[in-house]
Amino acid sequence: MLEKILVATTNLGKRREISSLFAGSNMEIVFPEKDLKVEEEGCSFLENAYIKARAYYKAYGLPTLAEDSGLVVPALDGYPGIYSSRFYELEWGGRQEVRESKDKANIEKLLRLMKYIKERRAYYVAFVLVFMDDVGYWAEGRCYGVILYEPKGEGGFGYDPVFQPEGFQKSMAELSQKEKNLISHRGKAIKRLMEILK
Ligand code: ITT
């Protein structure tokens, strides 16, 4: 079993969640000191996770975990999808001005595009990949739900205030970290990957 793993993400929300998912495990996680500014030019979540993990593995020489995730809305032909973190700046659907934060601009654009759409099903997906000894091992996790008409809650990050997971009457941003970890795409993918690595 691995003892130390580099977690290659610049997203503070992801860092917080991944730290809490590994808390209590016998694995030490470390974060890179510098951002390598890896271009996520892949055509899929899996390819982007691979590109990020491999770049950090080459730079640091440690087994490296990277994760690529996003929100998939079938009524928007799968968007924001692999563009989830920078949906606001995509030409498609019109650019959204960033006033408070990129996360808020992404949400504003999503709600604008979905204003008259009744079919609101969506899911989060995460591909978590560990790169070591020149090989990548990965797992996928999904979390199904619906897109709300207005943001609710202060927790989480990204699209959480407008995502209501199946079986809940609250948005993801209204759940505790512990509740989110149990149902989240990231929590499921990491759990599956740890089983594979064992
Ligand atoms: P790294 O590449 O450095 O990990 P990033 O934010 O660019 O950071 P991604 O390219 O994987 O990461 O984009 C993921 C985006 O998907 C993220 O910025 C959110 O907008 C959205 N997202 C993913 N998981 C989420 C979650 O649990 N809650 C809310 N939004 C999420």
Side-chain angles (χ1 to χ4, degrees), residues 7-15 17-18 35 38 40 45 48-49 52 56 65-71 80-87 102-103 106-107 124-127 143 155-161 163 172-173 177 180 184-187:
V7 175
T9 177
T10 55
N11 181 311
L12 297 181
K14 282 192 194 178
R15 281 193 179 194
E17 288 192 5
I18 293 172
D35 174 4
V38 183
E40 294 180 36
F45 294 107
N48 282 335
K52 287 186 268 193
Y56 279 88
L65 180 148
E67 185 254 55
D68 205 67
S69 51
L71 176 72
I82 59 169
Y83 305 104
S84 291
S85 65
R86 52 190 181 90
F87 191 43
K102 291 178 182 176
D103 279 351
N106 282 333
I107 287 177
Y124 278 131
V125 58
F127 277 85
C143 177
F157 68 98
Y159 297 89
D160 284 346
F163 183 84
M172 197 73 121
Q177 188 62 64
K180 179 173 175 183
S184 81
H185 46 315
R186 185 166 297 106

Side-chain angles (χ1 to χ4, degrees), residues 24-50:
S25 78
N26 50 8
M27 206 179 292
E28 182 194 352
I29 61 167
V30 290
F31 294 107
E33 279 153 21
K34 57 178 191 314
D35 174 4
L36 296 185
K37 307 226 180 302
V38 183
E39 289 292 336
E40 294 180 36
E41 290 171 330
C43 301
S44 67
F45 294 107
L46 181 55
E47 193 179 352
N48 282 335
Y50 182 88

Side-chain angles (χ1 to χ4, degrees), residues 47-193:
E47 193 179 352
N48 282 335
Y50 182 88
I51 291 170
K52 287 186 268 193
R54 189 167 176 276
Y56 279 88
Y57 173 77
K58 296 278 173 207
Y60 285 82
L62 279 176
T64 302
L65 180 148
E67 185 254 55
D68 205 67
S69 51
L71 176 72
V72 177
V73 182
L76 295 181
D77 195 20
Y79 284 89
I82 59 169
Y83 305 104
S84 291
S85 65
R86 52 190 181 90
F87 191 43
Y88 69 94
E89 65 172 20
L90 272 198
E91 208 61 74
W92 180 85
R95 286 170 187 254
Q96 192 76 28
E97 191 193 338
V98 177
R99 285 174 298 177
E100 284 177 62
S101 68
K102 291 178 182 176
D103 279 351
K104 286 214 165 124
N106 282 333
I107 287 177
E108 282 161 13
K109 176 162 174 175
L110 180 68
L111 293 185
R112 172 166 59 73
L113 291 174
M114 294 192 67
K115 193 166 175 186
Y116 302 107
I117 296 182
K118 292 212 167 61
E119 169 47 56
R120 305 194 69 90
R121 276 176 297 177
Y123 63 91
Y124 278 131
V125 58
F127 277 85
V128 177
L129 183 143
V130 168
F131 201 92
M132 58 183 177
D133 304 330
D134 278 328
V135 182
Y137 303 88
W138 71 85
E140 179 189 352
R142 288 187 183 193
C143 177
Y144 290 89
V146 291
I147 303 299
L148 297 169
Y149 285 89
E150 282 177 5
K152 286 202 293 188
E154 303 294 329
F157 68 98
Y159 297 89
D160 284 346
V162 290
F163 183 84
Q164 179 173 296
E166 243 172 29
F168 288 81
Q169 287 306 314
K170 293 174 178 179
S171 79
M172 197 73 121
E174 293 177 304
L175 301 186
S176 68
Q177 188 62 64
K178 209 169 153 197
E179 286 173 312
K180 179 173 175 183
N181 284 350
L182 286 173
I183 58 161
S184 81
H185 46 315
R186 185 166 297 106
K188 289 176 190 165
I190 288 182
K191 201 167 158 218
R192 284 181 192 140
L193 186 61

